[in-house]
Amino acid sequence: MARPRISFEFFPPQTLEASFRLWETAQMLAPLKPDFVSVTYGAGGTTRKLTHDAVETIHTHYKLNVAAHLTCVDATKAETLEIAASYAEAGVTEIVALRGDAPKGADRFTPHAEGFASSVELVEALAATGRFKLRVGAYPEPHPDAADTLADVRWLKRKIEAGATSAITQFFFEAETFLRFRDLCAKEGITAPIIPGILPIENWSGVKKFAARCGAQVPGWLDDAFDHAKRDGREELFSVALCTELCDRLLSEGVEDLHFYTLNRPTLTREVCHALGILPEVALQNVA
């Protein structure tokens, strides 16, 4: 089996301690030679400046290909395109274009009066600049604002037609969830790569809360399995085995890319990659 292309998601730090954790994460995972790494935006665009700074630092100091998240939230079209232009000037040529979550305290996304009304509009505008490779989000299980998965797939097709070249999915817990979604995308005529989003589980109770917010279904068997692992003091070992098995199944079904949500905690992601045979690439020097 060929080595899959891998990528990692980081989030921008908001404290000094979090900054050290991000740089440690980047340093630990960079030797695995990811295809790209992405840096998120906070809900409501709250980390816009922090995201920009993190993207530039990772690109400059770790020599990684960085895809900067960019959303439609709480900004005019001109402001959003200005941020994109600043990325291009810093040598960053990939963007993950997203509608974005509602600002804190709001029930749902409401477009800025002078901003982009949707991710499709954002992708169209960024594509028109000719400066970026564009990735978008995808949802193997219905997005909270979508009627059903078919509606999500058809919206994804519009984003691809607007200029996106690939999509990264929300995390999921069972391989069949992704494989069914991939089949439906193909049936609807989507030919762009759909990259599965993988979440190594560090804190099961926290992940369950996160899943409830984003519409990811938690299988009952998994809840029971983590209860047993916790009682036995084997949560981390179980998490690595679970994630490795999920990735292995996807790769056996023809998946060529894996995108890991690291949560700026790199150890589990590194362990899963090692278990899959993805090892640091070290250049040989001074070999006689």
Side-chain angles (χ1 to χ4, degrees):
M1 189 180 296
R3 183 188 195 270
R5 290 180 293 267
I6 56 171
S7 54
F8 305 122
E9 180 180 285
F10 306 144
F11 61 81
Q14 300 192 55
T15 65
L16 181 60
E17 180 184 358
S19 293
F20 285 125
R21 193 160 68 238
L22 172 58
W23 310 136
E24 179 187 13
T25 299
Q27 188 168 356
M28 187 181 290
L29 296 179
L32 296 175
K33 300 297 182 186
D35 190 44
F36 68 95
V37 300
S38 65
V39 181
T40 68
Y41 244 38
T46 51
T47 64
R48 186 174 295 134
K49 177 67 164 61
L50 295 172
T51 297
H52 190 279
D53 291 347
V55 166
E56 288 203 13
T57 300
I58 293 169
H59 175 71
T60 302
H61 293 285
Y62 294 94
K63 308 304 180 187
L64 294 172
N65 179 30
V66 186
H69 283 217
L70 190 60
T71 76
C72 307
V73 178
D74 198 28
T76 66
K77 293 179 181 180
E79 288 169 340
T80 302
L81 292 176
E82 184 179 340
I83 294 167
S86 72
Y87 284 134
E89 288 159 12
V92 174
T93 58
E94 294 201 22
I95 286 179
V96 180
L98 306 163
R99 188 199 69 180
D101 297 325
K104 190 174 181 179
D107 291 334
R108 58 186 299 117
F109 170 81
T110 303
H112 188 287
E114 298 176 22
F116 294 108
S118 69
S119 52
V120 170
E121 285 191 6
L122 177 60
V123 170
E124 285 175 339
L126 292 171
T129 70
R131 305 179 81 176
F132 302 104
K133 180 177 182 177
L134 301 173
R135 306 180 189 274
V136 292
Y139 301 89
E141 297 168 286
H143 184 280
D145 292 344
D148 52 33
T149 297
L150 181 58
D152 274 328
V153 169
R154 288 175 175 168
W155 186 252
L156 173 59
K157 187 176 183 180
R158 289 185 61 186
K159 291 188 284 189
I160 300 296
E161 290 171 346
T165 58
S166 67
I168 303 168
T169 76
Q170 178 61 271
F171 69 88
F172 50 89
F173 296 108
E174 296 180 302
E176 286 70 20
T177 302
F178 173 82
L179 297 173
R180 284 193 298 267
F181 178 73
R182 186 182 66 173
D183 289 347
L184 186 54
C185 287
K187 185 178 179 181
E188 290 296 310
I190 295 174
T191 57
I194 311 294
I195 303 172
I198 307 297
L199 178 63
I201 298 169
E202 180 136 3
N203 181 313
W204 177 235
S205 61
V207 166
K208 284 195 295 183
K209 292 175 184 175
F210 189 23
R213 290 200 300 272
C214 65
Q217 296 297 310
V218 177
W221 68 265
L222 190 52
D223 212 12
D224 293 339
F226 265 104
D227 283 342
H228 285 297
K230 186 174 183 178
R231 285 199 298 271
D232 294 341
R234 296 175 177 268
E235 277 184 287
E236 183 173 316
L237 183 63
F238 175 66
S239 184
V240 170
L242 180 75
C243 192
T244 302
E245 183 180 11
L246 172 63
C247 293
D248 190 61
R249 173 73 199 288
L250 294 171
L251 296 175
S252 72
E253 292 288 343
V255 168
E256 298 178 341
D257 303 82
L258 300 169
H259 184 71
F260 291 91
Y261 295 112
T262 72
L263 304 183
N264 291 11
R265 297 187 180 278
T267 304
L268 288 184
T269 295
R270 183 183 62 177
E271 293 302 313
V272 171
C273 287
H274 286 182
L276 292 169
I278 303 167
L279 302 173
E281 295 184 7
V282 180
L284 295 177
Q285 296 180 343
N286 302 322
V287 177

